Amino acid sequence: MGSVISNTIYSQTSEISAYAVAGIVFSALGARNCLYINYSLALFGTILLFAFIDSEEGSELCFTIAKFGVSGSFTSIYLCAIMNVPTVYACSVFGYCNAVARIFTILAVDPTIAELEYPDTLIIGLLLGIIGILVTSKLVTDLPKFE
């Protein structure tokens, strides 16, 4: 699907721009709407990838859209944690989240998971995007003030 250099350029350009756009959208629309938008973009890019998987240009565009949505959602989650978690508990919360992320990273290098065939990886991406949208609908943004 293109060269490693072009894929890296597309990926990193999408990621850097997603950081900036997610911060702007987060401050303008709030956490829930920002997460909805970013997860929807990730789902949209993944769904388009089903249609354009054989086209080199089309698949690069779909990957870029999906990567933009995922990177924007990660930035939104980080900003949401900063805004909603009291400072006293921030280190503990980030530590627990980091531990869970490291466990999933270890599982991701398992050859049976890492080398899945074509439709399985996209289905997993779709399911994770749907789970993200469902969890976002339960997001509590009006927390009581901790003192």
Side-chain angles (χ1 to χ4, degrees):
M1 302 225 204
S3 70
V4 173
I5 294 172
S6 66
N7 288 345
T8 303
I9 290 171
Y10 291 135
S11 174
Q12 294 308 308
T13 303
S14 174
E15 191 164 346
I16 290 170
S17 59
Y19 292 158
V21 171
I24 293 168
V25 171
F26 185 89
S27 63
L29 300 177
R32 183 177 292 137
N33 291 331
C34 186
L35 285 168
Y36 276 140
I37 290 168
N38 287 315
Y39 280 127
S40 298
L41 277 173
L43 278 174
F44 180 68
T46 306
I47 290 169
L48 283 179
L49 197 54
F50 274 113
F52 295 109
I53 194 68
D54 294 328
S55 167
E56 184 174 327
E57 295 82 15
S59 64
E60 288 176 351
L61 177 65
C62 296
F63 277 126
T64 303
I65 293 170
K67 173 78 176 205
F68 184 91
V70 169
S71 297
S73 65
F74 285 166
T75 303
S76 302
I77 290 169
Y78 182 75
L79 292 172
C80 185
I82 290 173
M83 300 294 287
N84 290 334
V85 176
T87 307
V88 176
Y89 304 114
C91 289
S92 298
V93 170
F94 282 126
Y96 292 133
C97 292
N98 195 2
V100 171
R102 287 178 188 265
I103 290 169
F104 279 109
T105 301
I106 291 168
L107 293 175
V109 296
D110 180 20
T112 58
I113 297 172
E115 299 296 327
L116 290 173
E117 294 298 320
Y118 155 64
D120 296 337
T121 55
L122 292 180
I123 291 170
I124 290 171
L126 283 173
L127 290 175
L128 289 175
I130 291 169
I131 289 169
I133 288 177
L134 293 174
V135 169
T136 300
S137 67
K138 302 295 182 191
L139 180 66
V140 177
T141 55
D142 297 326
L143 294 175
K145 299 295 180 203
F146 296 99
E147 295 183 32

